[in-house]
Amino acid sequence: MATIVVEVMLKPEILDPQGNAVASALPRLGFTFATSVRQGKRFEIEIDGEPTAAQLLEVEKAAEVLLSNPVIETYVVRVEK
Amino acid sequence: MRIGVITFPGTLDDRDAARAVVHGGAEAISLWHADADLKNVDAVILPGGFSYGDYLRCGAISRFAPVMKLVIEAANKGMPVLGICNGFQVLCESHLLPGALTRNSDLHFLCRDQEIEIINNSTAWTSSFTQGEKITIPLKNGEGSFQCDEATLAMLEGEGRVIARYVGENPNGSRNLIAGISNAQGNVVGLMPHPEHAIDALTGPSDQGLGFFTSILNAMVN
């Protein structure tokens, strides 16, 4: 069994109000390290056995069509060890 | 004149939309998300709500509902389609309209009466208005911030496809105060505020939303 991870992030030029809210909450709690926070989504997809190149291509396609909206988001597909 | 109103699981405003259609003078036909035919309707309204719980992204799952395949085909052949609020989000996810609707800039769910200005009165859904007419109708959403890239924004502005703009302070961070847009042909319109909640003074802030529902009759008759 393997886990394929798809991470979806808003494009840098798209306003991220949730990330901004987190960024302004951190210093209120004494965490002063952050200059900026962006919030995204992480999908963990379980499959049987090791993923084949064809399966990874299918996941890429799903990430493009469903898991992300290419108008406002980018995605990264990787296999979790 | 038959106007279909689609109900997805989680749709809220289908009844008000159907009532507005009837007030406008047409027959309202209920369509279900799993329907495999459009029941010979002349136009379709995608009403507001939280279809499929807004899971993943607003409108992202609804886009793949069986009835949407037919709506997309018909819209591309010229059938008038109006998406209100969640319906607008579905139209963007379906690529019938460009851009996307994202979280309001202040993160709050907004529910208030909002003044908008009609910018383009030549679409199938806005011909009852005069250009520059200001109307007040409810605005109620959490993800109403219209976003797109610079090239798309320039295209929408250049081609007169911004059909309505918010008046006054920007309520949600939408680019260029955009409240509604159309496709290139003007048959597909997406609008974030809710005209169907403003068709008589008894139940809404005004009756000024009715124009969207009388416009479509003009468009079909002429």
Side-chain angles (χ1 to χ4, degrees), chain B:
Chain B
M1 172 87 197
R2 294 160 61 87
I3 301 182
V5 177
I6 299 179
T7 301
F8 299 96
T11 295
L12 299 178
D13 301 326
D14 42 350
R15 287 187 173 221
D16 271 23
R19 181 168 167 267
V21 164
V22 173
H23 271 243
E27 187 184 355
I29 308 295
S30 292
L31 297 174
W32 180 235
H33 72 113
D35 280 351
D37 85 276
L38 289 180
K39 301 184 181 171
N40 293 319
V41 295
D42 303 297
V44 163
I45 294 175
L46 280 63
F50 299 87
S51 59
Y52 297 91
D54 273 356
Y55 290 170
L56 191 60
R57 294 178 306 278
C58 308
I61 313 258
S62 315
R63 170 201 169 184
F64 297 102
V67 77
M68 280 309 296
K69 189 167 183 277
L70 306 172
V71 169
I72 292 167
E73 281 171 12
N76 285 329
K77 287 180 192 156
M79 184 182 73
V81 178
L82 173 65
I84 303 166
C85 191
N86 188 220
F88 187 6
Q89 294 160 344
V90 175
L91 292 177
C92 286
E93 284 282 343
S94 305
H95 307 307
L96 284 173
L97 293 175
L101 283 312
T102 63
R103 190 66 65 101
N104 291 347
S105 51
D106 64 1
L107 288 172
H108 293 288
F109 187 98
L110 277 180
C111 184
R112 69 183 199 195
D113 298 334
Q114 173 71 44
E115 192 177 21
I116 61 171
E117 179 180 358
I118 302 296
I119 306 295
N120 180 345
N121 68 343
S122 65
T123 76
W125 298 94
T126 55
S127 61
S128 291
F129 298 102
T130 54
Q131 197 169 335
E133 186 172 345
K134 289 180 179 163
I135 63 172
T136 299
I137 60 178
L139 176 70
K140 52 167 187 124
N141 58 70
E143 307 201 23
S145 177
F146 181 79
Q147 300 296 323
C148 61
D149 60 27
E150 290 297 334
T152 306
L153 191 65
M155 175 190 74
L156 288 171
E157 294 286 356
E159 295 177 4
R161 288 168 55 183
V162 176
I163 64 119
R165 262 189 248 279
Y166 300 112
V167 175
E169 199 183 337
N170 195 329
N172 49 28
S174 290
R175 299 202 72 177
N176 288 16
L177 292 163
I178 287 173
I181 58 171
S182 77
N183 67 346
Q185 294 74 34
N187 61 309
V188 179
V189 165
L191 186 69
M192 198 31 72
H194 290 264
E196 80 282 15
H197 295 328
I199 57 160
D200 67 46
L202 178 67
T203 55
S206 70
D207 60 2
Q208 295 168 326
L210 192 59
F212 286 90
F213 305 94
T214 54
S215 294
I216 187 61
L217 261 74
N218 299 338
M220 299 309 288
V221 171
N222 296 324

Side-chain angles (χ1 to χ4, degrees), chain A residues 22-65:
Chain A
V22 173
S24 56
L26 285 171
R28 287 202 296 274
L29 300 172
F31 299 111
T32 54
F33 47 78
T35 54
S36 156
V37 178
R38 304 282 292 174
Q39 183 177 324
K41 293 191 190 98
R42 173 187 163 105
F43 301 86
E44 295 181 350
I45 302 163
E46 306 288 332
I47 61 159
D48 287 330
E50 288 301 304
T52 63
Q55 279 176 320
L56 284 173
L57 271 179
E58 283 283 283
V59 174
E60 288 266 349
K61 202 169 150 192
E64 171 98 31
V65 172

